[in-house]
């Protein structure tokens, strides 16, 4: 049974750095083919793909956010971390992590709401 | 970037109806397309991957078709629990973009 859960601060100030952790079980990022992605959803809006990290540490980011995003993994802890710098109110959203299935996603975390406000 | 466009943006239907949602890609994506269902306040749920393959546990009333730039999601007989927002996603090239969503409402 694959499960994922996001955690992090619910509130960050403009210009601050956001760090979110995706803790997962039921698979290993040491296994060939495994991957975890990050997706966000502003209130009332559509899903936005943010980035992906693979078992071999290959990473891909949304071009519009590439300069602000870093995704890392800690296979010993079964965690993936998303770091987003220079947060702005437009970054207010629910952030999801999800398990790779043929580069789509089959299992999703419950999401964590992040508000950017002073 | 590949743009994904869904139509309609919203749709009203009744229990028992057959409904089809369309997703168009700005460039050919072969069969690298997924469909998700999202209910208010919940995470998306995977329905279909590789354009036509049903995710494990998804009812057979859901089906996907298409290829290249044109794809459809069909629900053969709407059930009360199917009223939700549906998203398509391409994973042919990065960024793996989503459509803007189709909200399926009760008539």
């Amino acid at each position: 049974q694959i499960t994922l859960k996001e955690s992090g601060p619910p509130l960050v100030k403009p210009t601050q750095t956001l760090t979110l952790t995706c803790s997962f079980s039921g698979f290993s990022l040491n296994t060939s083919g495994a991957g975890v992605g990050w997706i966000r959803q502003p209130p009332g809006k559509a899903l936005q793909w943010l980035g992906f990290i693979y078992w071999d540490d290959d990473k891909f980011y949304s071009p519009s956010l590439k300069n602000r995003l870093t995704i890392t993994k800690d296979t010993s802890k079964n965690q993936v971390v998303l770091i987003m710098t220079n947060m702005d109110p437009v970054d207010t959203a629910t952030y999801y992590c999800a398990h790779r299935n043929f580069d789509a996603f089959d299992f999703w975390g419950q999401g964590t709401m992040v508000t950017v406000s002073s | 970037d590949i743009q994904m466009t869904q139509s309609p943006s919203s749709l009203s239907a009744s229990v028992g109806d057959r409904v089809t949602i369309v997703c168009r890609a700005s460039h050919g994506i072969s069969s690298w397309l997924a469909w998700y269902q999202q209910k208010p306040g919940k995470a998306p749920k995977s329905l279909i991957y590789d354009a036509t393959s049903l995710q494990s546990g998804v009812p057979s009333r859901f089906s996907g078709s298409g290829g290249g730039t044109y794809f459809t999601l069909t629900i053969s007989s709407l059930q009360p629990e199917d009223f939700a927002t549906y998203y398509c996603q391409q994973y042919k090239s990065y960024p793996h973009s989503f459509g803007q969503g189709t909200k399926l409402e009760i008539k």
Side-chain angles (χ1 to χ4, degrees):
Chain A
Q1 170 81 359
I2 291 174
T3 64
L4 305 98
K5 187 174 183 180
E6 308 84 354
S7 59
L11 179 66
V12 296
K13 290 180 169 36
T15 75
Q16 285 188 336
T17 295
L18 172 69
T19 300
L20 295 177
T21 299
C22 174
S23 301
F24 58 84
S25 63
F27 69 98
S28 171
L29 265 178
N30 278 326
T31 302
S32 178
V36 170
W38 285 95
I39 308 97
R40 72 179 180 181
Q41 186 173 37
K45 296 189 177 181
L47 300 168
Q48 180 185 10
W49 187 90
L50 299 180
F52 221 115
I53 188 165
Y54 291 93
W55 80 99
D56 58 359
D57 211 35
D58 211 358
K59 303 163 194 178
F60 295 87
Y61 299 108
S62 171
S64 64
L65 294 168
K66 186 172 185 177
N67 292 338
R68 300 173 51 209
L69 266 182
T70 302
I71 299 175
T72 63
K73 61 181 174 68
D74 186 332
T75 53
S76 66
K77 293 183 179 178
N78 279 352
Q79 290 180 337
V80 171
V81 174
L82 177 141
I83 300 169
M84 186 178 294
T85 61
N86 195 24
M87 293 291 284
D88 183 271
V90 300
D91 297 312
T92 294
T94 297
Y95 287 74
Y96 297 99
C97 62
H99 173 260
R100 176 197 188 207
N101 177 53
F102 296 91
D103 272 355
F105 302 115
D106 53 0
F107 294 96
W108 293 63
Q110 64 189 24
T112 187
M113 177 67 191
V114 178
T115 300
V116 184
S117 175
S118 54
Chain B
D1 295 5
I2 296 176
Q3 309 302 318
M4 305 301 292
T5 304
Q6 292 182 228
S7 59
S9 295
S10 63
L11 173 60
S12 294
S14 302
V15 173
D17 284 354
R18 178 184 180 91
V19 300
T20 296
I21 298 169
V22 173
C23 178
R24 290 183 172 89
S26 61
H27 299 82
I29 59 170
S30 186
S31 295
W32 305 116
L33 184 103
W35 288 97
Y36 304 93
Q37 176 195 67
Q38 187 179 34
K39 297 182 179 178
K42 300 294 186 182
K45 173 188 174 184
S46 174
L47 298 175
I48 286 169
Y49 63 97
D50 290 355
T52 61
S53 297
L54 210 59
Q55 199 65 246
S56 176
V58 173
S60 59
R61 63 181 180 273
F62 291 91
S63 64
S65 67
T69 62
Y70 185 86
F71 302 86
T72 61
L73 173 70
T74 299
I75 309 172
S76 59
S77 178
L78 273 175
Q79 298 302 300
E81 60 269 28
D82 299 337
F83 292 95
T85 300
Y86 293 84
Y87 292 94
C88 61
Q89 181 206 13
Q90 67 81 20
Y91 45 99
K92 170 70 166 60
S93 66
Y94 296 101
H96 291 171
S97 43
F98 291 89
Q100 83 279 15
T102 295
K103 187 173 184 179
L104 179 53
E105 299 175 303
I106 300 174
K107 186 182 287 185

